């Protein structure tokens, strides 16, 4: 059986007093303001240094060099970062609630690896070159691996530890497959090498238009599951007593995570740790109520992703580090800290 939430966490799921609701709402507005600032920084800062005046003219007046850099590259890149960040944060929060494991995320459970392996297979063996094709392969890979990890973890008898171990094992095997394909297929290597580390650099208006419907559907579905997932987090018996349909909720939660991760991975490759770090941090000040965790994760996950992307552009000028590398550098030590803190708390 999955690990139930502790009694104090269940108590926090009760309706919050008006002062706490007001504080949460104010915090959400502050988070939106931070997101706006980071988005502005993402447009203004890049591997090519531009003054604020040049950025302004590139946005509103110049159709030449500055306009090409700011509008055609940075604006599309920022928009895609907003969408993908929100998708990864939502997917992570949903999976953490579903597994009752605050350290779960699409990467640790193998969903990102499944989507990546399917896309690389499509590129190398089927000659797929369009994002539309990537999306469907990514969905198939994410869904297949999600089901496999759930089965290997014990299905209905799964525990967070078993799911994490199964996800780690499957991810390792799939990433080994990815490396083998790239070594053996020189023709596809150039198309895959930036995609497989996770990058926003190839963002275009066409990319955004193609993934937007999938991300919109996944986002709406995830947000609609806030109340049922609150019941699921309290334990199976309590959820049934509250009238929740466990099988339906779990199926829809997996569907939402698959759609979000599949579209995000197809658009910019696998990006790890965003779906783990942000929902976990958000939970520390909102409590376990998914009605607040999901909106906060939707807003703050793009803050992390765009912030990492800006750092990557600055750190290696005139070149840049891909955002997937930066989030891994940040996320690895954070994940170790979270695991050690949880272990200490359990002793």
């Amino acid at each position: 059986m999955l690990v139930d939430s502790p009694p104090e966490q269940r108590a926090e799921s009760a309706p919050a007093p008006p002062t706490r609701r007001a504080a949460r709402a104010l915090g959400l507005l502050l988070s939106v303001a931070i997101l706006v600032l980071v988005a502005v920084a993402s447009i203004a800062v890049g591997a090519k240094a531009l003054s604020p005046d040049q950025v302004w003219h590139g946005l509103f007046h110049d159709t030449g060099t500055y306009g090409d850099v700011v509008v055609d590259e940075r604006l599309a890149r920022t928009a895609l970062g907003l969408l993908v960040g929100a998708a990864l944060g939502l997917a992570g929060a949903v999976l953490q609630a579903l597994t009752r494991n605050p350290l779960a995320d699409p990467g640790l459970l193998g969903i990102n690896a499944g989507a990546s392996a399917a896309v690389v297979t499509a590129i190398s063996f089927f000659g797929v070159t369009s994002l539309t094709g990537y999306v469907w392969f990514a969905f198939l890979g994410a869904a297949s691996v999600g089901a496999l990890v759930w089965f290997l973890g014990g299905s209905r008898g799964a525990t967070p530890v078993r799911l994490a171990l199964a996800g780690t094992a499957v991810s390792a095997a799939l990433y080994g497959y990815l490396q083998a394909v790239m070594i053996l297929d020189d023709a596809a290597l150039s198309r895959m090498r930036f995609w497989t580390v996770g990058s926003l650099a190839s963002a275009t208006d066409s990319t955004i238009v193609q993934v937007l419907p999938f991300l919109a559907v996944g986002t709406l579905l995830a947000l609609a599951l806030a109340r049922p997932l609150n019941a699921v987090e309290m334990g199976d018996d309590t959820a049934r007593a509250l009238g929740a349909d466990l099988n339906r909720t779990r199926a829809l939660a997996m569907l939402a995570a698959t759609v979000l991760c599949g579209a995000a991975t197809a658009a910019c490759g696998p990006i790890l740790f965003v779906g783990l770090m942000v929902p976990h941090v958000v939970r520390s000040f909102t409590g376990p109520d998914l009605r607040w965790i999901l909106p906060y994760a939707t807003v703050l996950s793009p803050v992390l992703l765009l912030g990492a992307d800006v750092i990557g552009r600055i750190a290696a000028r005139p070149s840049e580090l891909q955002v997937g590398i930066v989030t891994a550098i940040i996320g690895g030590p954070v994940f170790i800290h979270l695991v050690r803190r949880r272990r200490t708390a359990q002793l």
Side-chain angles (χ1 to χ4, degrees):
M1 180 177 290
L2 294 175
V3 178
D4 287 341
S5 302
E8 62 270 18
Q9 221 179 34
R10 298 180 190 178
E12 288 183 8
S13 296
T19 53
R20 187 170 186 183
R21 288 198 299 269
R24 287 170 171 172
L26 182 61
L28 190 58
L29 290 175
L30 179 60
S31 300
V32 172
I34 294 172
L35 177 58
V36 171
L37 292 176
V38 173
V40 170
S42 178
I43 295 172
V45 178
K48 179 179 177 62
L50 296 177
S51 68
D53 184 62
Q54 290 171 331
V55 173
W56 179 265
H57 279 80
L59 278 174
F60 299 106
H61 304 291
D62 193 351
T63 58
T65 303
Y66 299 148
D68 292 341
V69 171
V70 175
V71 177
D72 296 341
E73 297 179 17
R74 294 185 188 174
L75 197 58
R77 186 170 183 161
T78 300
L80 185 63
L82 290 170
L83 294 174
V84 168
L88 294 176
L90 270 176
V94 166
L95 289 174
Q96 287 176 13
L98 183 65
T99 62
R100 302 179 198 138
N101 177 7
L103 297 181
D105 85 328
L108 290 178
L109 295 183
I111 294 178
N112 279 347
S116 302
V119 171
V120 168
T121 299
I123 293 172
S124 182
F125 295 104
F126 298 103
V128 177
T129 58
S130 68
L131 181 63
T132 304
Y134 291 171
V135 169
W136 295 111
F137 275 91
F139 286 158
L140 177 62
S144 300
V145 171
L148 177 62
V149 168
W150 187 261
F151 172 77
L152 293 176
S155 300
R156 293 178 181 273
T159 66
V161 172
R162 293 175 67 181
L163 285 172
L165 290 174
T168 300
V170 172
S171 295
L174 290 175
Y175 282 124
Y177 164 77
L178 294 178
Q179 296 301 317
V181 171
M182 287 191 291
I183 291 172
L184 296 174
D185 189 351
D186 292 335
L189 177 60
S190 61
R191 295 200 301 269
M192 294 188 294
R193 62 192 182 98
F194 286 116
W195 184 87
T196 53
V197 297
S199 173
L200 298 173
S202 59
T204 64
D205 293 341
S206 175
T207 304
I208 295 168
V209 169
Q210 290 183 63
V211 300
L212 184 58
F214 300 102
L215 295 178
V217 170
T219 298
L220 292 175
L221 180 58
L223 293 174
L225 289 172
R227 286 181 180 275
L229 284 174
N230 272 342
V232 169
E233 276 201 304
M234 295 180 186
D236 290 2
D237 293 338
T238 303
R240 291 190 186 96
L242 293 173
D245 187 333
L246 291 176
N247 291 333
R248 178 174 177 271
T249 300
R250 286 170 176 156
L252 290 176
M254 286 298 294
L255 176 62
T258 298
V259 170
L260 290 168
C261 292
T265 303
C268 57
I271 297 176
L272 304 180
F273 291 111
V274 174
L276 183 153
M277 287 188 288
V278 176
H280 187 88
V281 172
V282 165
R283 187 181 293 268
S284 68
F285 58 82
T286 64
D289 192 344
L290 271 295
R291 292 173 297 178
W292 288 102
I293 292 174
L294 295 180
Y296 266 99
T298 304
V299 174
L300 290 178
S301 295
V303 171
L304 173 61
L305 187 62
L306 289 177
D309 192 40
V310 171
I311 292 172
R313 296 182 221 172
I314 297 172
R317 279 178 173 172
S319 184
E320 65 178 71
L321 290 175
Q322 305 305 314
V323 67
I325 297 174
V326 179
T327 58
I329 292 172
I330 297 172
V334 171
F335 179 65
I336 292 172
H337 169 70
L338 294 176
V339 171
R340 288 179 61 85
R341 190 177 68 178
R342 282 179 58 80
R343 183 179 178 183
T344 302
Q346 292 171 354
L347 293 178

